[in-house]
Amino acid sequence: MIKAFRKTREYVSLGSLIIFLLTLISIILFIIVNCSTTFADFFNYYITVPFRAFITTMTSWIPFSLAEMAIISIPIWATILVVYAIKEGKKGAKSASKYLCGIASALCVVFMTFVWTYSSGYHTTTLDKKLNIDRENISAQELYETATWLTDNINALAPEILYGEDGASIMNYSYSEMSSKICNSYDKFVSEYPILINFDSKIKPIVLSEPFTYTHISGVYTFMTGESNVNVNYPDFIVASTAAHELAHQRGIAREEEANFVAFMVCILSDDPYLQYSGYLDVYSDVMNALYSADKELYSAVSARLCVEAKRERASYSKFFKKYADSKTSEISNSINDSFLQANGQEQGTKSYGMVTDLTVAYYKAKIKS
């Protein structure tokens, strides 16, 4: 046994061996999490939080997105890796083996980080059950009532909102202040619905937001760095609701439709009128799209109720997005994202984003209408 270990050590470094062993443990853990909702609930609530909070704390002092910089520098790192691969290959089989095992070890660390900080969130008890909200078949009338409720709240908040000449609303405070306001609102959410653990963190604006918009992605949570990255090229109300969405991911809400709904709840629970407005207006679009498919007459009736300011906001957004609508980049990013979601148990893939409508209608019926 000792002789075999020494022989192995000639081709694999001790560090790589340790990482491979920890990876094996993580694979077993990953399988258990996938098979047991009860264990996934426990692991996601009690175990992953300190890991996520630690990584977030370690990267929060960096003023830019570390994940974005890593992606931008991929060509540089790829070149360095190729150069070193050639260099180590010339030294012989043992050096080349240790080098390749080092590369494999780095990939294993990515997988382990995913398992210990994030993957369990895809296999926990669904959000509707955690919040005691019954999701049933939704009628056109229920969509109409929910859309009307959203519309009335948007109309009530509109006089408190600042709008630009192009009709787009303006968030009149910094991204840092926005982060603090959202984190404070998460405290309220947690006190009412203790389904996650809140901690202080902040949003990181994406530096290359304008070109990134061609992917149609408004925000990204990167589990490797613990950063909630937001595309600030989008209109302010999208930035605000997306920030709440990415912070939901950071707190262990992995499923996209659930992060959307938590973001909605966090925004409307805020003391800040703009966050409330952003939450209502963002979900309004989802519910109205569903209502249009169900009953066009009811859709027209609700549309007529929306205030002029909000109508101009939506028109401004449509004009903004027209530039990025037909993008090949978005098709690629959507395909990758869809595959990732399905690989982690979200069988509907990116279609699951629209399921926030179910939760919103169910919430309205259970909490507001009753």
Side-chain angles (χ1 to χ4, degrees):
M1 180 69 73
I2 296 176
K3 186 177 180 180
F5 177 75
R6 288 177 177 173
K7 187 66 176 177
T8 301
R9 285 279 287 107
E10 292 181 10
Y11 292 88
V12 186
S13 69
L14 180 61
S16 291
L17 285 174
I18 293 173
I19 290 176
F20 292 155
L21 176 60
L22 293 175
T23 300
L24 178 60
I25 295 172
S26 297
I27 290 173
I28 295 172
L29 179 63
F30 182 74
I31 294 172
I32 296 173
V33 164
N34 275 260
C35 295
S36 173
T37 300
T38 301
F39 184 75
D41 285 334
F42 168 82
F43 193 81
N44 193 57
Y45 189 86
Y46 292 103
I47 306 301
T48 67
V49 174
F51 284 98
R52 285 197 308 273
F54 173 74
I55 295 174
T56 298
T57 301
M58 291 295 291
T59 60
S60 63
W61 62 272
I62 302 174
F64 55 85
S65 171
L66 187 63
E68 182 183 11
M69 292 301 105
I71 293 173
I72 292 173
S73 61
I74 283 178
I76 298 175
W77 288 109
T79 302
I80 292 173
L81 289 175
V82 171
V83 170
Y84 269 88
I86 296 172
K87 182 179 179 181
E88 294 301 316
K90 290 180 178 179
K91 292 181 181 179
K94 293 179 180 179
S95 294
S97 177
K98 287 185 177 181
Y99 179 77
L100 291 175
C101 286
I103 300 297
S105 297
L107 295 175
C108 285
V109 169
V110 174
F111 171 74
M112 287 191 291
T113 305
F114 178 63
V115 172
W116 287 90
T117 68
Y118 199 62
S119 69
S120 58
Y122 288 109
H123 307 284
T124 58
T125 301
T126 56
L127 187 63
D128 55 325
K129 293 179 180 178
K130 288 180 180 178
L131 300 179
N132 294 317
I133 297 176
D134 293 325
R135 285 177 59 189
E136 303 171 347
N137 292 329
I138 299 172
S139 67
Q141 181 62 31
E142 289 169 337
L143 282 170
Y144 169 76
E145 292 175 2
T146 305
T148 300
W149 167 64
L150 294 169
T151 301
D152 290 345
N153 279 284
I154 293 168
N155 292 346
L157 288 163
E160 302 182 61
I161 306 301
L162 178 65
Y163 294 91
E165 292 183 1
D166 60 352
S169 61
I170 299 172
M171 182 174 66
N172 59 347
Y173 43 79
S174 68
Y175 297 128
S176 178
E177 290 177 286
M178 177 188 69
S179 296
S180 296
K181 289 175 183 290
I182 295 175
C183 284
N184 289 338
S185 190
Y186 263 102
D187 284 333
K188 288 186 176 183
F189 177 82
V190 171
S191 65
E192 187 170 347
Y193 306 102
I195 62 172
L196 51 80
I197 298 174
N198 190 32
F199 51 87
D200 289 333
S201 59
K202 61 182 179 180
I203 290 297
K204 290 195 175 183
I206 295 173
V207 175
L208 299 179
S209 284
E210 205 282 331
F212 193 66
T213 310
Y214 286 98
T215 66
H216 296 182
I217 296 175
S218 58
V220 178
Y221 170 67
T222 50
F223 62 86
M224 277 299 296
T225 62
E227 297 170 307
S228 292
N229 308 280
V230 175
N231 183 339
V232 295
N233 185 51
Y234 273 88
D236 284 354
F237 82 94
I238 296 293
V239 171
S241 61
T242 298
H245 174 105
E246 300 308 328
L247 289 177
H249 284 322
Q250 195 179 59
R251 281 146 186 76
I253 305 296
R255 299 183 183 100
E256 291 300 329
E257 77 277 9
E258 295 184 357
N260 274 345
F261 185 71
V262 168
F264 166 67
M265 290 292 296
V266 167
C267 284
I268 67 174
L269 285 173
S270 174
D271 294 329
D272 181 69
Y274 194 78
L275 287 180
Q276 294 177 33
Y277 171 83
S278 299
Y280 284 119
L281 189 59
D282 196 14
V283 170
Y284 171 88
S285 297
D286 292 302
V287 175
M288 287 297 284
N289 287 338
L291 181 58
Y292 182 82
S293 298
D295 192 312
K296 292 181 175 57
E297 288 186 8
L298 291 179
Y299 170 87
S300 298
V302 178
S303 295
R305 294 174 63 100
L306 190 66
C307 64
V308 173
E309 294 84 356
K311 286 181 178 178
R312 290 190 65 208
E313 172 93 80
R314 284 167 57 80
S316 176
Y317 175 70
S318 295
K319 183 179 180 180
F320 157 82
F321 196 71
K322 187 176 182 180
K323 175 182 177 181
Y324 310 96
D326 298 322
S327 165
K328 293 296 182 182
T329 306
S330 68
E331 293 178 10
I332 296 172
S333 66
N334 186 70
S335 178
I336 294 172
N337 195 27
D338 187 64
S339 298
F340 177 79
L341 293 176
Q342 292 191 42
N344 285 283
Q346 292 194 248
E347 296 179 359
Q348 289 183 296
T350 51
K351 290 182 180 179
S352 63
Y353 283 79
M355 290 177 66
V356 69
T357 299
D358 297 350
L359 291 169
T360 303
V361 173
Y363 172 78
Y364 168 75
K365 288 163 59 180
K367 305 293 184 179
I368 307 301
K369 185 178 179 180
S370 60

